[in-house]
């Protein structure tokens, strides 16, 4: 895009919008563009097609390497690359940013350019913000980015919603994306949001349409509500009691409440045969749209829905000013009517709808329901039985695109305007434009559902196979379980890896400390981590390690309110990091998992592990050995005396690594909630990562020790160990699968994980995090010593003294684990921490929190 054009769009674009109200006769915004809308539409289209095109480029790795072997391709790439860089540096220059991009000799790495782009984006966004503010001042009766006719609410709820200056006359200004003055809906919630670092437990307490009754854990308010801190006993005792109480419910606590019903759901013949297509009214305005924000209306709506055989649903969500996110709106369309439910107002009552939503005789049509299913569980305890997802249908039909707007165009010839998708849906009263947008999202969906079913049958020559597969895929989605972001001591590494920066030990420490600070504060204040401190700023502070608090402020533009408020605390953290011995960490070391990281790689990548080159085989072997040591360790833990020479040596070897590499291991200065002992995100996933980190740092030395170790073994022991090694080899595959499955989060994979959970190393790893107090059903051989969870995972790897049995007794817990089948409910939570870490609710990184289905 031409830079001068882009500039005009930020400045005069606004004015254009502002004055459009009183002056219809606007000169062209710039040649070829009538007004901002036209310009923005054009720009968005251009960006979209560029994004698409870039996604279509050969992927890094084999495909790219292959293409690169053609000189023509190489030349083309280089010339296009130059062009792009030139264009970017022009834009940056235009905005007065650092733009050494044109001076390319000075820049060696992609990384630095990437930083430049991030910085420039900040500058540009900041400028846009300033201009918007200016626009407000100059012309305060108009609200630049709000839909016309929107009346700001008169009541400003809390101090952080209040405008500075204290001028009551000044009209409030709202922004669509980052509306500053929207009252925090959380304040009105009857039940406080649970941001604690503990796994999510379903909110359900009555289960309509149950075939299998709801476990007592959920029906018995006493067990459920009584939190340890509510008990009138010392904290430690309260904790213990609570733990004992919940222990027997662990199985239920993490299961999908409608698992049984969904497993036994069969789609009736009638839904697998040719449907009668019922047209939706093509004019939205002709259909009544009811706004539901009172309990009696919700009850009435539920009654209405219960009489139907299908209805369509969609949700709107907000994630910037909340830690977990808020479901703000629910749209429901029947064949006759549209409803918009204010789910902020009725949050506590939404569970009523379970009666219709879990009725297997009523089809619920969603489009791209992956997130909706999770949000329904998280905020309302609502589940869906008998789901039809038109996104899945679109995939099965192999349509050109699978977004809702495409379906609307394709089937209904409606041009949907997805502009409001990312609007701040907390705004009340809802502006008409947003109501209309929301209504459109479900209004045509039942008609599309009819058409798609017909096409799915036609496509398959009248056979129901394809249609059935869509029902099945939809069912898989409804089986998804909400997973809360869990903070673990390693979470920061995952995010750091994405920064593509090589950090020295001090910088890495700063990053770790800031990350922990941010997570803690975000949970406490119920803000997104992106709101507390955007990742790029966190990265910048870590990189620069400012000596003064002012330096921290200077790294942030604009300065996040909580950073300003706590700049002294931040400064202390940075100072703490500066006290670390300074060591340069090679990129492939810090980026630990680099090529070996199982957390992000695709299945095809994983295959490279096994058959691959010597290097990988060797890495593999060492990993396996490590796991083998660990398994051995966990097997014989109760009885230290029975340790074989080999095991003693393995401990020795592991211990020998403690000092030099200690710094790469997480420290204890983090806030892990003790309740996270049920934390499913522990531990094998981290273990694998740690192993790879370990290997990449120390593979040579380790290899040396390994050889030594084997030479020292007696033949008999060697044979014995060989067997163990073989076992561990088998286990490793499962471990990978699990890491993979945790990432994928797909229901099928989850099931696999749960089935193997009892025997895989995951369970033994988990043990390290499990109960801090001895279980009543455990062999009572040990005296009770509280277990420090913040240390738990790393001790084994750091080579901590493993002899204090009372603190770490994997065998015992394996035992317990098997009994309780904890893995069942936990597998999907596994890896949750990493997910949260990739969550940056801010602008640029929205994409990675969920794999947004194409809408
Ligand atoms: P939709 O199903 O398209 O109505 O989207 C529902 C909600 O998902 C919206 O209110 C947004 O909060 C969120 N959302 C949808 N698409 C995206 C996206 N590409 N990035 C971030 N959030 C999104
Ligand atoms: Zn949706
Ligand atoms: Mn929607």
């Amino acid at each position: 895009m031409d830079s001068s054009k882009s500039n005009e769009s930020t400045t005069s674009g606004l004015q254009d919008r502002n004055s459009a109200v009183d002056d219809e006769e606007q000169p062209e915004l710039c040649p070829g563009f009538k007004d901002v809308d036209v310009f923005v539409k054009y720009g968005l289209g251009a960006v979209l097609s560029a994004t698409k095109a870039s996604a279509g480029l050969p992927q890094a790795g084999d495909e790219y390497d292959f293409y690169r072997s053609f000189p023509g391709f190489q030349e083309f790439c280089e010339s296009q690359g130059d062009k792009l860089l030139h264009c970017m540096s022009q834009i940056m220059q235009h905005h007065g940013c650092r733009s050494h991009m044109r001076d390319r000799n000075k820049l060696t790495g992609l990384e630095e350019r990437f930083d430049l782009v991030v910085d420039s984006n900040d500058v540009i966004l900041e400028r846009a913000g300033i201009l918007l503010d200016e626009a407000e001042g100059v012309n305060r009766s108009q609200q630049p980015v709000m839909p016309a006719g929107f009346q700001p609410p008169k009541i400003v709820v809390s101090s952080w919603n209040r405008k500075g200056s204290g001028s009551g006359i000044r009209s409030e200004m709202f922004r669509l994306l980052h509306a500053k003055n929207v009252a925090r809906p959380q304040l009105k919630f009857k039940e406080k949001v649970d941001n604690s670092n503990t796994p999510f437990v379903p909110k359900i307490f009555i289960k309509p349409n149950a075939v299998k009754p709801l476990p007592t854990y959920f029906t018995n308010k006493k067990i459920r509500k009584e939190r340890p801190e509510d008990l009138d006993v010392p904290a430690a005792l309260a904790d213990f009691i609570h733990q004992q109480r919940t222990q027997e419910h662990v199985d239920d606590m993490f299961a999908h409440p409608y698992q049984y019903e969904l497993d036994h759901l069969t789609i009736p013949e009638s839904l697998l045969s040719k449907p009668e297509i019922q047209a939706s009214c093509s004019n939205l305005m002709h259909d009544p749209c009811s706004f539901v924000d009172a309990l009696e209306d919700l009850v009435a709506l539920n009654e209405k829905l219960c009489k139907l055989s299908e209805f369509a649903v969609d949700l709107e969500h907000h994630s910037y000013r909340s830690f977990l996110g808020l479901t703000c709106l629910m749209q429901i369309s029947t064949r006759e009517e549209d409803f918009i439910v204010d789910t902020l107002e009725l949050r506590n009552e939404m569970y009523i709808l379970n009666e219709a939503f879990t009725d297997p005789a009523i089809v619920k049509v969603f489009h791209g329901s992956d997130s909706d299913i999770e949000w329904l569980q998280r905020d309302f305890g609502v589940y869906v039985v008998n789901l039809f997802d038109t996104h899945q249908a679109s995939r099965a039909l192999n349509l050109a695109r699978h977004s809702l707007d495409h379906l609307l165009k394709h089937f209904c010839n409606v041009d949907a305007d997805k502009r409001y998708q990312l609007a701040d849906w907390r705004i009340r009263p809802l502006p008409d434009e947003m109501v209309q947008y929301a209504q459109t999202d479900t209004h045509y969906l039942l008609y599309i559902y009819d058409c798609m079913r017909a096409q799915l049958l036609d496509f398959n020559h009248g056979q129901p196979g394809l249609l059935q597969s869509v029902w099945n895929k939809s069912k898989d989605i409804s089986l998804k379980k909400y997973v809360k972001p869990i903070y673990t001591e390693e979470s920061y590494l995952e995010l750091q890896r994405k920064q593509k920066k090589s950090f020295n030990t001090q910088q890495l420490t700063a990053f770790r400390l800031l990350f922990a600070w941010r997570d803690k504060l975000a949970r406490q204040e119920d803000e997104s981590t992106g709101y507390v401190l955007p990742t790029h700023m966190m990265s910048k502070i870590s990189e620069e390690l400012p000596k003064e608090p002012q330096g921290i402020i200077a790294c942030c533009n604009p300065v996040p309110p909580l950073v300003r408020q706590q700049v002294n605390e931040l400064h202390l953290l940075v100072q703490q990091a500066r006290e670390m011995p300074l060591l340069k960490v090679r990129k492939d070391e810090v980026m630990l998992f680099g090529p070996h990281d199982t957390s992000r790689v695709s299945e095809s990548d994983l295959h490279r592990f096994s058959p691959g080159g010597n290097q990988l085989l060797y890495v593999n072997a060492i990993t396996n050995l490590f796991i083998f040591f660990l398994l051995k360790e966990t097997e014989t833990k109760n009885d230290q005396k029975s340790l074989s020479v080999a095991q003693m040596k393995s401990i020795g070897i592991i211990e020998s690594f403690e000092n030099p590499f200690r710094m790469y291991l997480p420290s204890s200065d983090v806030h892990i909630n003790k309740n996270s002992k049920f934390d499913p995100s522990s531990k094998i996933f981290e273990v694998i990562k740690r192993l790879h980190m370990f290997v990449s740092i120390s593979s040579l030395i380790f290899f040396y020790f390994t050889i030594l170790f084997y030479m020292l073994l007696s033949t008999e022991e060697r044979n014995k160990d060989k067997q163990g090694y073989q076992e561990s080899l088998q286990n490793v595959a499962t471990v990978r699968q699990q890491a993979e499955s945790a990432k994928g989060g797909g229901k099928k994979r989850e099931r696999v994980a749960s089935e193997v959970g009892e025997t895989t190393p995951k369970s033994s790893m988990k043990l390290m995090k499990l109960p801090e107090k001895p279980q009543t059903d455990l062999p009572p051989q040990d005296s009770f010593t509280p277990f420090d969870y913040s240390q738990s995972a790393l001790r084994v790897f750091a080579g901590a003294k493993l002899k204090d049995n009372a603190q770490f007794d994997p065998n015992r817990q394996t035992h317990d684990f098997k009994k309780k089948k904890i893995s069942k409910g936990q597998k999907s939570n596994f890896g949750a921490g990493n997910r949260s870490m990739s969550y940056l609710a801010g602008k640029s990184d929205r994409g990675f929190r969920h794999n947004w289905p194409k809408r």
Side-chain angles (χ1 to χ4, degrees):
M1 202 197 302
D2 177 27
S3 58
S4 64
K5 224 185 235 175
S6 83
N7 182 48
E8 259 175 273
S9 77
T10 39
T11 51
S12 58
L14 265 176
Q15 282 150 16
D16 177 76
R17 229 173 191 282
N18 288 338
S19 42
V21 184
D22 23 44
D23 189 2
E24 297 294 344
E25 299 269 314
Q26 278 293 312
E28 279 197 333
L29 169 71
C30 52
F33 298 103
K34 186 166 64 56
D35 55 23
V36 179
D37 283 346
V38 176
F39 182 81
V40 167
K41 254 195 185 136
Y42 171 82
L44 219 61
V47 170
L48 219 72
S49 49
T51 312
K52 259 200 180 151
S54 84
L57 290 172
Q59 296 297 304
D62 289 350
E63 202 186 342
Y64 178 74
D65 292 341
F66 171 71
Y67 280 105
R68 242 191 108 77
S69 62
F70 298 98
F73 178 81
Q74 207 171 327
E75 263 168 45
F76 179 78
C77 281
E78 258 152 41
S79 68
Q80 291 302 310
D82 280 355
K83 244 187 184 164
L84 278 173
L85 281 180
H86 178 72
C87 178
M88 286 164 75
S89 90
Q90 266 200 329
I91 295 175
M92 290 166 153
Q93 255 178 300
H94 184 88
H95 285 277
C97 311
R98 276 197 305 146
S99 70
H100 309 290
M101 281 216 170
R102 72 211 140 97
D103 189 7
R104 284 181 304 113
N105 291 339
K106 277 194 194 160
L107 266 191
T108 40
L110 194 60
E111 283 162 39
E112 285 171 74
R113 282 185 199 142
F114 184 77
D115 288 350
L116 274 181
V117 172
V118 171
D119 290 350
S120 306
N121 274 340
D122 281 347
V123 171
I124 294 168
L125 282 174
E126 172 69 1
R127 166 124 9 122
I130 293 170
L131 286 167
L132 284 169
D133 285 343
E134 262 174 31
E136 178 200 18
V138 171
N139 203 353
R140 65 188 158 97
S141 61
Q142 276 121 38
Q143 290 138 14
V145 213
M146 279 310 295
F150 174 63
Q151 289 299 312
K154 293 285 174 294
I155 312 150
V156 176
V157 175
S158 61
S159 59
W160 57 78
N161 288 320
R162 206 162 288 141
K163 280 241 145 182
S165 68
S167 60
I169 338 139
R170 234 176 126 209
S171 88
E172 305 290 352
M173 216 277 281
F174 291 83
R175 299 201 193 144
L176 218 43
L177 290 176
H178 295 273
K180 277 183 173 169
N181 302 338
V182 176
R184 287 173 68 82
Q186 293 99 311
L187 296 175
K188 286 207 286 182
F189 290 170
K190 288 175 200 116
E191 200 177 318
K192 282 200 83 182
V193 179
D194 177 13
N195 292 335
S196 68
N197 198 31
T198 52
F200 175 75
V201 177
K203 282 191 161 181
I204 193 166
F205 62 97
I206 21 174
K207 182 177 171 185
N209 303 300
V211 181
K212 194 178 168 190
L214 194 64
T216 49
Y217 174 78
F218 297 104
T219 49
N220 184 340
K221 258 206 166 126
K222 202 162 174 256
I223 332 176
R224 226 157 56 97
K225 297 278 170 204
E226 225 168 55
R227 297 184 177 198
E229 56 269 26
D230 300 335
L231 298 173
D232 193 20
V233 289
L237 186 58
D239 227 20
F240 179 71
I241 294 170
H242 181 73
Q243 195 195 317
Q244 290 307 312
R245 264 190 203 153
T246 48
Q247 191 69 181
E248 56 190 286
H249 300 286
V250 163
D251 231 2
D252 301 330
M253 280 164 70
F254 299 109
H256 189 297
Y258 282 89
Q259 177 90 38
Y260 184 85
E261 288 75 8
L262 282 164
D263 284 344
H264 293 83
L265 177 71
T266 41
I267 301 303
E269 268 315 296
S270 61
L271 290 177
L272 291 170
S273 51
K274 195 108 185 163
E276 175 201 341
I277 297 179
Q278 304 173 46
S280 298
C281 181
S282 58
N283 191 338
L284 269 190
M285 295 303 117
H286 293 174
D287 273 4
C289 178
S290 325
F291 194 76
V292 177
D293 60 358
L295 179 57
E296 53 277 11
D297 296 340
L298 185 69
V299 172
L301 170 61
N302 179 56
E303 280 164 3
K304 224 175 230 174
L305 296 177
C306 283
K307 295 193 190 102
L308 301 173
S309 50
E310 69 272 298
F311 59 88
V313 188
D314 187 35
L315 302 174
E316 301 306 329
H317 184 260
H318 176 86
S319 58
Y320 188 55
R321 301 300 307 271
S322 142
F323 184 71
L324 297 171
L326 306 168
T327 306
C328 300
L329 224 57
M330 177 188 278
Q331 305 99 286
I332 293 183
S333 291
T334 70
R335 298 276 182 190
E336 271 88 38
E337 284 176 87
D338 298 322
F339 297 89
I340 293 186
V341 184
D342 185 346
T343 56
L344 293 174
E345 191 64 40
L346 293 170
R347 182 178 163 101
N348 234 29
E349 286 82 32
M350 288 298 289
Y351 72 92
I352 290 173
L353 293 180
N354 258 335
E355 199 180 344
F357 276 60
T358 61
D359 186 338
I362 308 172
V363 177
K364 273 67 66 178
V365 182
F366 282 70
H367 179 83
S369 58
D370 295 70
S371 309
D372 305 48
I373 292 295
E374 296 188 20
W375 297 336
L376 286 173
Q377 295 178 25
R378 182 196 63 196
D379 291 348
F380 321 127
V382 166
Y383 294 82
V384 180
V385 177
N386 204 355
L387 167 72
F388 186 94
D389 190 323
T390 50
H391 174 80
Q392 294 302 329
S394 170
R395 299 184 82 98
L397 285 171
N398 225 344
L399 298 185
R401 290 193 293 123
H402 309 308
S403 61
L404 180 62
D405 34 338
H406 184 249
L407 296 189
L408 285 169
K409 187 77 200 159
H410 185 84
F411 290 106
C412 315
N413 199 26
V414 167
D415 284 302
D417 179 358
K418 272 291 191 184
R419 237 181 333 172
Y420 291 102
Q421 189 173 49
L422 300 180
D424 190 331
W425 287 100
R426 299 172 303 165
I427 295 170
R428 297 291 181 277
L430 262 187
D432 289 345
E433 283 85 343
M434 286 169 74
V435 171
Q436 218 180 85
Y437 167 88
Q439 195 187 350
T440 319
D441 263 359
T442 52
H443 182 78
Y444 303 94
L445 215 48
L446 289 179
Y447 170 71
I448 293 176
Y449 158 70
D450 292 341
C451 297
M452 292 188 108
R453 275 187 303 150
Q455 285 198 1
L456 283 162
L457 285 169
D458 286 348
F459 214 73
N460 215 27
H461 314 291
Q463 295 304 305
L466 198 59
L467 182 53
Q468 180 71 57
S469 80
V470 174
W471 286 112
N472 291 345
K473 289 223 166 84
S474 304
K475 184 163 89 176
D476 285 351
I477 297 175
S478 54
L479 273 165
K480 274 183 80 162
K481 285 186 291 183
Y482 172 66
V483 175
K484 204 161 144 188
I486 295 294
Y487 174 95
T488 72
E489 295 167 71
E490 290 84 15
S491 312
Y492 79 101
L493 285 172
E494 171 109 357
L495 182 61
Q496 205 279 332
R497 189 183 59 121
K498 287 202 196 106
Q499 304 310 300
K500 308 220 162 56
K501 273 183 190 163
S502 358
F503 274 177
N504 63 34
T505 44
Q506 295 184 347
Q507 292 168 325
L508 197 59
T509 306
F511 195 83
R512 170 168 61 77
L513 295 172
L514 292 173
F515 186 97
W517 170 85
R518 174 174 93 160
D519 182 87
K520 187 174 179 178
L521 203 60
R523 287 177 197 271
Q524 205 173 295
E525 301 290 315
D526 198 13
E527 299 284 4
S528 66
T529 49
Y531 174 80
V532 176
L533 174 58
T535 301
H536 67 274
M537 294 183 191
M538 189 162 88
S539 189
K540 179 133 188 168
I541 299 172
S542 310
E543 194 180 3
E544 313 236 323
L545 294 169
K547 287 204 174 79
E548 307 293 329
Q550 204 44 46
I552 292 175
I553 299 287
C555 288
C556 307
N557 184 13
V559 187
L562 291 167
V563 168
R564 197 181 287 286
Q565 206 182 77
Q566 300 216 3
V567 69
N568 290 327
E569 283 83 344
L570 288 171
H571 181 233
L572 288 176
L573 295 179
V574 173
Q575 269 184 334
Q576 192 183 329
R578 295 180 75 96
E579 280 158 18
M580 288 292 291
L582 186 59
L583 266 183
K584 193 162 168 58
V585 183
R586 265 201 6 254
K587 194 177 157 194
D588 54 338
E589 290 168 342
V590 172
M591 302 307 157
L592 331 158
F593 333 121
H596 317 310
D597 181 12
T598 49
S599 64
R600 285 279 156 187
V601 288
S602 66
E603 250 157 79
S604 61
D605 288 335
L606 273 176
H607 294 152
R608 294 188 312 184
F609 270 95
S610 17
N614 292 337
Q615 169 75 8
L616 284 175
L617 266 178
Y618 151 69
V619 167
N620 230 1
I622 292 186
T623 309
N624 296 336
L625 267 173
F626 213 118
I627 287 181
F628 153 71
F629 293 151
L630 210 82
L631 287 175
K632 278 279 175 192
E633 197 50 50
T634 57
E635 275 161 23
T636 47
K637 205 64 254 301
N638 309 0
D639 190 359
Q640 190 79 35
K641 279 182 196 144
S642 73
L643 278 182
S644 70
V645 181
Q647 286 148 0
M648 298 288 234
K649 288 205 173 93
S650 72
I651 291 172
I653 289 171
I654 293 165
E655 278 177 352
S656 71
F657 281 93
E658 178 178 18
N659 293 335
F661 305 111
R662 186 70 190 77
M663 70 196 95
Y664 300 126
L665 296 167
S667 82
S668 54
D669 48 357
V670 285
H671 57 283
I672 284 254
N673 187 314
K674 277 191 209 146
N675 291 336
S676 65
K677 54 187 163 265
F678 294 131
D679 169 8
S681 69
S682 56
K683 224 38 238 203
I684 192 62
F685 182 53
E686 271 78 32
V687 165
I688 285 289
K689 289 199 304 198
R690 194 100 43 81
L691 285 174
H692 287 309
M693 164 175 71
F694 220 92
V695 166
S696 61
I697 295 168
S698 59
S699 47
L700 274 175
I701 315 166
F702 195 93
F703 197 43
Y704 169 67
F705 272 104
T706 311
I707 293 167
L708 249 175
F709 161 54
Y710 264 88
M711 281 172 17
L712 288 167
L713 285 179
S714 70
T715 333
E716 194 208 341
E717 273 165 340
R718 203 180 302 158
N719 287 340
K720 232 171 39 196
D721 291 332
K722 219 184 204 160
Q723 202 185 333
Y725 175 73
Q726 290 303 331
E727 278 161 24
S728 73
L729 274 182
Q730 284 168 2
N731 285 330
V732 167
T734 340
V735 167
R736 293 228 171 86
Q737 282 161 7
Q738 291 204 15
E740 186 59 12
S741 87
K743 276 287 137 190
K747 164 232 163 192
K748 276 191 187 141
R749 289 173 179 173
E750 285 180 11
R751 278 224 212 109
V752 170
S754 75
E755 279 150 17
V756 295
E758 293 170 28
T759 45
T760 52
K762 181 190 172 189
S763 35
S764 15
M765 301 311 162
K766 265 210 60 55
L767 310 172
M768 288 172 247
K769 261 216 147 163
L770 275 175
E772 72 186 279
K773 283 126 192 171
Q775 306 305 303
T776 41
D777 51 347
L778 296 174
Q781 81 274 30
D782 299 318
S783 62
F784 168 66
T785 319
F787 180 49
D788 180 4
Y789 286 99
S790 61
Q791 295 284 345
S792 59
L794 61 100
R795 291 184 81 96
V796 185
F797 291 95
K801 303 279 173 280
L802 290 164
K803 33 186 157 347
D804 36 2
N805 269 359
Q807 292 194 5
F808 178 67
D809 184 348
N811 200 36
R812 217 164 21 141
Q813 289 163 350
T814 309
H815 203 72
D816 183 48
F817 192 70
K818 280 184 181 163
K819 220 177 234 165
K820 301 282 179 199
K821 282 193 237 115
I822 294 170
S823 64
K824 189 177 175 191
Q826 300 192 334
K827 65 260 171 169
S828 69
N829 282 17
F830 170 41
N834 307 295
R835 193 169 173 208
S836 88
M837 298 327 148
S838 59
Y839 169 41
L840 314 120
K843 40 213 167 179
S844 55
D845 17 39
R846 287 173 167 277
F848 28 146
R849 187 177 185 200
H850 295 273
N851 277 327
W852 292 105
K854 291 184 185 117
R855 292 162 212 251

